[in-house]
Amino acid sequence: MSETLKKEIVYLREINMKYKKKRVSAKFKDVQLIDTKLVYELFSDMQNESKEKIITISLDKDFKMLCYEVVAVGGIDGIYTREFEVIRASIALNAYGVIVVHNHPSGNPEPSGNDINFTKELLLLTETGGMKFHDHIIIGNNSFFSMEEKYKMQKLYEQRREEDRQEGKIEGKVEGKLEGIVEGRIKEKFEMAKEMKQDNRPIEEIIKYTKLSQSEIEKL
């Protein structure tokens, strides 16, 4: 090889994903994370952390865990990360959905205004990307708070969209594009409900994960 060619050699960076093991009870083997309490039990040791930590759980279409990732570690009273960082690994894994978990070292799991706004921003991002954001769970001392159970994720998403409308950020073609995305997601919800119904899943479970009404599901 000539000296000229040697000088032109460059290196490319290749992504290499590695996994570490977390020991848990055998009852969590192949479990569907459809119960918020199960998620809390899996990550309840976060209540002992002295700093805030954000974990993203990547799920397949059957709500089984593909893996989880610690995406950010902050201080005793706050944490910052870009919304995209929270779902970066989930995109690489082609995950169907995600659950986000973080802790409050103070022991009080009640969400702050920043927690709610962060959830809304993540809902916009995941909805646009075709990924389901099932829940944002906050862990405190022997307790937890579920955004889905308290506020309903779909309602938080609609609130965030309305905020954009009021500020004039959604107009013309942009509005049309987003509406098309939403229509596509609604169609997906009906298809998902059909599959779950064929699998004889409980009606309560179908309602929880599709956000459809009981009457809509019964008509399928």
Side-chain angles (χ1 to χ4, degrees):
M1 184 180 293
S2 69
E3 193 66 30
T4 303
L5 287 177
K6 286 183 180 179
K7 291 180 180 179
E8 293 178 354
I9 292 176
V10 295
Y11 292 91
L12 300 178
R13 289 181 293 180
E14 179 183 355
I15 295 176
N16 183 17
M17 300 185 72
K18 296 182 179 181
Y19 297 91
K20 291 192 298 184
K21 295 179 180 178
K22 174 184 173 72
R23 180 174 292 179
V24 297
S25 169
K27 72 176 182 178
F28 294 114
K29 180 176 174 59
D30 297 324
V31 71
Q32 292 177 307
L33 294 182
I34 58 177
D35 187 341
T36 309
K37 290 182 180 179
L38 282 177
V39 180
Y40 168 68
E41 286 182 44
L42 268 173
F43 296 96
S44 61
D45 56 347
M46 289 176 67
Q47 67 186 293
N48 301 316
E49 297 282 350
S50 60
K51 296 180 180 180
E52 281 201 33
K53 180 187 290 185
I54 297 177
I55 285 177
T56 300
I57 305 170
S58 297
L59 303 170
D60 64 16
K61 65 182 182 66
D62 294 319
F63 313 110
K64 293 181 180 180
M65 185 190 299
L66 295 170
C67 73
Y68 76 91
E69 180 191 21
V70 178
V71 296
V73 178
I76 60 173
D77 60 353
I79 192 169
Y80 170 78
T81 186
R82 294 185 304 154
E83 289 83 7
F84 184 77
E85 295 293 328
V86 177
I87 60 170
R88 180 183 57 184
S90 301
I91 293 172
L93 289 164
N94 196 28
Y96 186 81
V98 296
I99 295 174
V100 174
V101 184
H102 91 273
N103 64 308
H104 280 176
S106 67
N108 181 3
E110 289 293 320
S112 66
N114 286 336
D115 290 334
I116 295 172
N117 289 334
F118 187 70
T119 302
K120 289 180 179 179
E121 295 301 325
L122 264 176
L123 279 164
L124 280 184
L125 185 61
T126 51
E127 188 77 16
T128 302
M131 187 183 297
K132 289 185 175 293
F133 184 9
H134 293 299
D135 203 351
H136 180 180
I137 298 169
I138 304 172
I139 293 178
N141 285 340
N142 299 313
S143 59
F144 66 92
F145 184 99
S146 164
M147 293 281 188
E148 167 62 23
E149 291 180 358
K150 180 67 176 180
Y151 296 121
K152 300 300 178 186
M153 301 295 272
Q154 183 62 28
K155 288 186 178 180
L156 288 176
Y157 171 74
E158 291 168 359
Q159 287 175 15
R160 182 63 183 82
R161 289 261 295 156
E162 183 59 31
E163 289 167 8
D164 274 350
R165 286 193 182 92
Q166 292 177 0
E167 294 177 11
K169 291 181 180 179
I170 301 179
E171 298 176 349
K173 293 182 179 179
V174 176
E175 173 71 13
K177 182 179 179 181
L178 288 174
E179 290 296 343
I181 291 171
V182 173
E183 289 176 6
R185 295 299 290 156
I186 292 173
K187 183 178 179 181
E188 281 187 16
K189 289 178 180 180
F190 276 97
E191 291 174 351
M192 180 181 177
K194 283 183 181 179
E195 291 181 6
M196 294 180 74
K197 194 174 180 181
Q198 290 172 357
D199 291 339
N200 296 317
R201 300 283 183 86
I203 188 70
E204 296 80 8
E205 181 183 331
I206 301 176
I207 292 172
K208 179 177 181 179
Y209 286 99
T210 65
K211 310 300 186 297
L212 298 176
S213 67
Q214 184 169 342
S215 60
E216 288 174 322
I217 296 169
E218 289 174 347
K219 290 177 183 178
L220 295 175

